[in-house]
Amino acid sequence: MKRILVSTLTLLLLGSGCLHAEGVNKAIHFQKGKTSATISGIVVRGDTDRYTIVAKQDQTMTVALTSKEKNAALTIYAPGYSVTQEDGVSIIAGETLAGAGEGEDAAGWSGILPASGKYLIDVGGTRGNASYKMTVTIQ
């Protein structure tokens, strides 16, 4: 009974966005002279792909996410976030950018960055597996 309760709680937390299983974990770097990068990927149901990018306060960042079945969403965490492991599952804590928060199912974001540092872009599927293309631009 206890095992069923723990499993059910874990599934509920995964669905709420508090816990994340891991897929891809990469840093985004622009080619010399470029201000954007495009990444293609497939995120498996229940996993998230994570991308980090370093940017400066007051720069403008635009993230555009497209998916064939319109079933990919992103969450963007501001510098100062933390990622911890608990029973093999990652837990992300920290502030998200307005309009790209947990559970908002954002397919894009554009705005002036509030702080300098490393941002985390977390891409997941809203239903089933999701193939996606994401373009990140910083100016």
Side-chain angles (χ1 to χ4, degrees):
M1 181 69 165
K2 185 176 181 180
R3 182 177 295 232
I4 292 171
L5 180 61
V6 170
S7 296
T8 302
L9 180 59
T10 300
L11 287 173
L12 288 172
L13 289 171
L14 279 168
S16 72
C18 297
L19 299 176
H20 299 271
E22 290 187 53
V24 172
N25 196 355
K26 293 183 179 178
I28 298 172
H29 300 285
F30 299 150
Q31 292 181 359
K32 188 174 182 174
K34 302 288 184 182
T35 59
S36 67
T38 299
I39 299 155
S40 295
I42 299 172
V43 66
V44 176
R45 181 181 183 177
D47 285 353
T48 59
D49 287 354
R50 291 199 186 125
Y51 301 94
T52 57
I53 189 160
V54 176
K56 294 182 181 178
Q57 181 177 0
D58 296 328
Q59 285 185 306
T60 299
M61 181 167 77
T62 301
V63 181
L65 181 68
T66 57
S67 58
K68 290 180 182 182
E69 296 182 19
K70 298 184 183 350
N71 63 335
L74 58 85
T75 303
I76 304 174
Y77 293 87
Y81 66 87
S82 65
V83 180
T84 57
Q85 294 288 323
E86 202 169 289
D87 295 328
V89 177
S90 294
I91 302 171
I92 303 172
E95 284 189 46
T96 57
L97 300 182
E102 292 179 6
E104 292 188 60
D105 291 344
W109 185 88
S110 186
I112 297 173
L113 296 174
S116 295
K118 188 186 294 186
Y119 287 80
L120 174 67
I121 303 170
D122 204 45
V123 179
T126 57
R127 32 174 225 291
N129 299 342
S131 60
Y132 64 89
K133 185 181 284 188
M134 179 175 68
T135 299
V136 180
T137 304
I138 297 181
Q139 298 177 325

